[in-house]
């Protein structure tokens, strides 16, 4: 019996793309089911599969739903052992989980705040974001990816800024990541040229339009 793998997601949302990237790196076929989140039009199936948080992404594997992107990534790793996205050694796996949590807890909120900041708040918001970027810049050092020569779970979680920062900068008209972060800039370039990641990265022009629309909705 063939496996049934579905991803309930939102193509303009970075958290759903994490799951798609992980599945593609594993070579797992899946069906993407698009949710209309921009208009807050959530399907009955999404609410059925994720009744607690009522949000994407949700992975449904042979009828069994799993929600929360990092939890889903761990499930993917445990279910499909080939092409690992987590390190093999326990300490290294713990470190990868730490940085994944750091990105979600510290970097994502700071990035959202800076992106949507008003002019009088902008300098302080960007300064706070840069403080959050500094540990990641130091962690990357001279590595191609956080996972080394190949993408790993920290790189996948980092999709939220690897795929979005260039588009956000164009949409809002100011830099989020400057010359002080050459390792992160190089990493974003490596991401954009990665054979598998390119299949999942959003089209920049469309994303710029989406970000501008979201900004207008939040502004008014």
């Amino acid at each position: 019996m063939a496996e049934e793998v579905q991803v309930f997601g939102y193509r303009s949302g970075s958290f759903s793309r994490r799951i798609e990237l992980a599945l593609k790196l594993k070579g797992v076929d899946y069906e993407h089911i698009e949710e209309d989140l921009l208009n807050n039009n959530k399907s009955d199936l999404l609410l059925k599969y994720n009744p607690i948080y009522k949000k994407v992404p949700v992975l449904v594997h042979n009828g069994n739903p799993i929600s929360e992107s990092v939890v889903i990534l761990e499930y993917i790793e445990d279910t499909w052992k080939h092409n690992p996205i987590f390190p093999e050694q326990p300490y290294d796996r713990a470190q990868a989980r730490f940085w994944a949590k750091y990105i979600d807890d510290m970097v994502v909120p700071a990035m959202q705040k800076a992106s949507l900041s008003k002019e009088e708040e902008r300098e302080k918001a960007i300064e706070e974001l840069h403080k959050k970027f500094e540990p990641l810049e130091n962690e990357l050092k001279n590595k191609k990816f956080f996972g080394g020569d190949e993408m790993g779970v920290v790189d996948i979680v980092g999709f939220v800024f690897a795929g979005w920062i260039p588009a956000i900068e164009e949409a809002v008209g100011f830099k989020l990541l400057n010359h002080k972060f050459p390792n992160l800039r190089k990493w974003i370039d490596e991401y954009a040229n990665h054979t598998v990641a390119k299949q999942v990265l959003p089209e920049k022009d469309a994303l710029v339009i989406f970000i501008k629309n979201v900004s207008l909705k939040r502004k008014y």
Side-chain angles (χ1 to χ4, degrees), residues 84-96:
I85 57 175
F86 278 81
E88 182 179 357
Q89 297 302 317
Y91 177 77
D92 294 334
R93 290 174 74 92
Q95 289 298 299

Side-chain angles (χ1 to χ4, degrees), residues 129-143:
L129 175 61
H130 285 177
K131 288 179 181 178
K132 303 298 188 295
F133 276 144
E134 284 171 2
L136 294 173
E137 175 75 10
N138 295 332
E139 176 66 15
L140 256 178
K141 299 175 185 174
N142 295 318
K143 294 184 290 187

Side-chain angles (χ1 to χ4, degrees), residues 94-194:
Q95 289 298 299
R97 289 188 180 99
F98 170 85
W99 287 115
K101 184 171 175 57
Y102 176 83
I103 289 171
D104 276 351
D105 290 353
M106 305 297 285
V107 180
V108 172
M111 197 168 114
Q112 291 172 336
K113 183 178 179 181
S115 301
L116 297 171
S117 61
K118 297 179 180 178
E119 190 171 353
E120 63 270 19
E121 305 166 340
R122 190 167 301 153
E123 184 177 352
K124 183 178 179 181
I126 292 176
E127 183 180 338
E128 290 176 359
L129 175 61
H130 285 177
K131 288 179 181 178
K132 303 298 188 295
F133 276 144
E134 284 171 2
L136 294 173
E137 175 75 10
N138 295 332
E139 176 66 15
L140 256 178
K141 299 175 185 174
N142 295 318
K143 294 184 290 187
K144 186 175 182 180
F145 296 108
F146 286 98
D149 290 334
E150 302 294 336
M151 278 194 172
V153 66
V154 181
D155 301 285
I156 295 169
V157 172
F159 194 97
V160 68
F161 47 94
W164 263 249
I165 280 183
I168 290 172
E169 290 179 336
E170 183 173 329
V172 300
F174 55 85
K175 290 287 184 184
L176 297 179
L177 198 61
N178 60 21
H179 66 279
K180 296 179 181 178
F181 302 97
N183 294 337
L184 283 171
R185 277 291 181 189
K186 184 180 178 183
W187 172 75
I188 288 174
D189 290 340
E190 293 285 0
Y191 221 112
N193 291 310
H194 189 277

